[in-house]
């Protein structure tokens, strides 16, 4: 991996982690287009994912501060209930991830046909949101679990995590800004948990990736993540997801024909 590839992959990770266009699908296409075939690149993946997590923490720093303060008040209040819903939403992905980890890893082999088909599924989910009328419904425990199930779809390269969770949240009549916030906060625990598990299980070798590439990838992912996260909140409020549906459909068709 050279410096330009690290920059491009960092930008792709940061943008596509929050925009409903599938980070896994775009990274698979990015690796194929850039000719990157490194089998063990855990350290770079770890660094860019940490960067996107940090960008989420920055964007939602006020919300997270309130949640933490209320949590340590040790009272069953609105914040602790919200945290409980976040934890509940993580249950499906944790179960599926632990049971089918090897099978999931086997999906990420540069299969552009699979990526293309799943991008079309993402396009379909986003298109459905255009038929949803504005609602002020809250995210219940039941809805949190269903949104968590939707998150498990994103283990397939080409299924957008934010796209599927936001789409399902809106279809469940959730308030737009609440659904967007829940979608971005709910991913923190699964990402950190998965990265920690992989780090403990496999470890990393610093020599595998040039330190300069790690820094470039981190800065690119963090900066583009900040932009994409803030931008996506505004887009969801305005209900403009159809444009991403069209984009995913086009990219899906391109991936299928390129396979």
């Amino acid at each position: 991996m050279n410096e330009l590839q690290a920059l491009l992959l960092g930008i792709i990770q940061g943008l596509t982690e929050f925009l409903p266009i599938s980070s896994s699908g775009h990274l698979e296409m990015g690796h194929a287009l850039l000719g990157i075939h490194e089998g063990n690149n855990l350290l770079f993946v770890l660094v860019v994912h940490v960067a996107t997590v940090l960008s989420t923490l920055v964007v939602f720093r006020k919300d997270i501060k309130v949640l933490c303060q209320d949590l340590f008040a040790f009272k069953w209040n609105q914040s602790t209930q919200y945290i409980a819903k976040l934890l509940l939403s993580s249950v499906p992905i944790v179960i599926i991830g632990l049971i089918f980890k090897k099978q999931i890893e086997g999906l990420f082999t540069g299969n552009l046909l699979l990526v293309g088909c799943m991008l079309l599924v993402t396009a379909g989910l986003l298109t459905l949101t255009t038929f949803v009328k504005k609602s002020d419904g809250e995210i219940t425990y039941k809805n949190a679990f269903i949104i968590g199930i939707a998150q498990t779809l994103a283990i397939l390269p080409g299924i957008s995590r934010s796209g599927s969770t936001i789409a399902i949240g809106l279809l469940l009549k959730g308030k737009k800004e609440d659904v967007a916030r829940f979608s971005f906060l709910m991913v923190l625990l699964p990402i950190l948990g998965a990265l920690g598990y992989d780090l403990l299980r496999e470890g990393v070798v610093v020599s595998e990736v040039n330190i300069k590439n790690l820094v470039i990838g981190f800065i690119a992912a963090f900066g583009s993540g900040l932009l994409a996260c803030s931008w996506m909140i505004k887009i969801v409020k305005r209900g403009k997801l159809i444009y991403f549906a069209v984009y995913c459909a086009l990219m899906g068709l391109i991936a299928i024909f390129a396979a």
Side-chain angles (χ1 to χ4, degrees):
M1 180 186 298
N2 58 41
E3 294 167 6
L4 178 59
Q5 291 172 330
L7 175 65
L8 292 175
L9 290 177
I11 292 174
I12 290 173
Q13 168 61 30
L15 288 177
T16 58
E17 182 65 41
F18 300 104
L19 298 181
I21 54 178
S22 177
S23 61
S24 59
H26 278 73
L27 284 175
E28 285 291 287
M29 290 189 291
H31 279 83
L33 291 173
L34 295 173
I36 299 174
H37 305 292
E38 297 171 41
N40 186 3
N41 200 20
L42 178 61
L43 184 56
F44 184 81
V45 172
L46 172 66
V47 167
V48 294
H49 273 86
V50 168
T52 52
V53 168
L54 287 177
S55 66
T56 306
L57 295 176
V58 170
V59 173
F60 292 102
R61 60 190 179 279
K62 294 181 180 178
D63 299 89
I64 294 173
K65 180 181 179 180
V66 172
L67 289 175
C68 290
Q69 288 175 339
D70 290 350
L71 175 64
F72 290 107
F74 300 106
K75 294 181 180 179
W76 188 245
N77 50 39
Q78 187 174 359
S79 292
T80 50
Q81 292 178 45
Y82 191 83
I83 292 172
K85 293 174 184 177
L86 291 174
L87 291 172
L88 181 61
S89 71
S90 301
V91 172
I93 192 68
V94 170
I95 294 175
I96 296 298
L98 291 175
I99 296 177
F100 299 104
K101 184 170 179 60
K102 289 185 178 180
Q103 291 86 340
I104 293 170
E105 291 174 346
L107 297 173
F108 293 86
T109 56
N111 186 341
L112 292 184
L113 179 60
L114 174 62
V115 171
C117 291
M118 293 304 101
L119 279 169
L120 293 181
V121 174
T122 297
L125 285 172
L126 295 175
T127 301
L128 288 177
T129 64
T130 61
F131 302 102
V132 177
K133 295 181 179 179
K134 185 177 180 180
S135 176
D136 292 326
E138 66 175 52
I139 298 175
T140 63
Y141 288 99
K142 177 182 177 181
N143 290 352
F145 188 74
I146 294 174
I147 294 173
I149 294 175
Q151 182 172 232
T152 63
L153 295 175
I155 63 175
L156 297 170
I159 298 289
S160 166
R161 191 208 64 81
S162 61
S164 59
T165 54
I166 290 174
I168 295 301
L170 294 177
L171 290 172
L172 291 172
K173 308 299 182 182
K175 189 177 180 180
K176 290 180 177 180
E177 49 265 46
D178 291 347
V179 168
R181 182 178 71 154
F182 191 84
S183 172
F184 294 141
L185 290 177
M186 69 184 284
V187 75
L188 294 178
L189 290 176
I191 285 182
L192 291 174
L195 292 175
Y197 178 81
D198 285 340
L199 190 59
L200 290 173
R201 189 188 67 168
E202 300 179 17
V204 294
V205 179
V206 176
S207 61
E208 289 176 353
V209 181
N210 186 286
I211 295 297
K212 184 184 291 186
N213 290 344
L214 294 178
V215 174
I216 292 173
F218 179 89
I219 294 175
F222 179 74
S224 57
L226 279 177
L227 176 65
C229 188
S230 301
W231 188 29
M232 190 59 196
I233 296 171
K234 296 177 182 178
I235 291 172
V236 174
K237 287 182 180 180
R238 296 172 183 170
K240 302 295 184 181
L241 297 180
I242 187 61
Y243 299 116
F244 293 105
V246 174
Y247 173 83
C248 286
L250 290 174
M251 292 301 293
L253 291 175
I254 290 173
I256 290 173
F257 285 113

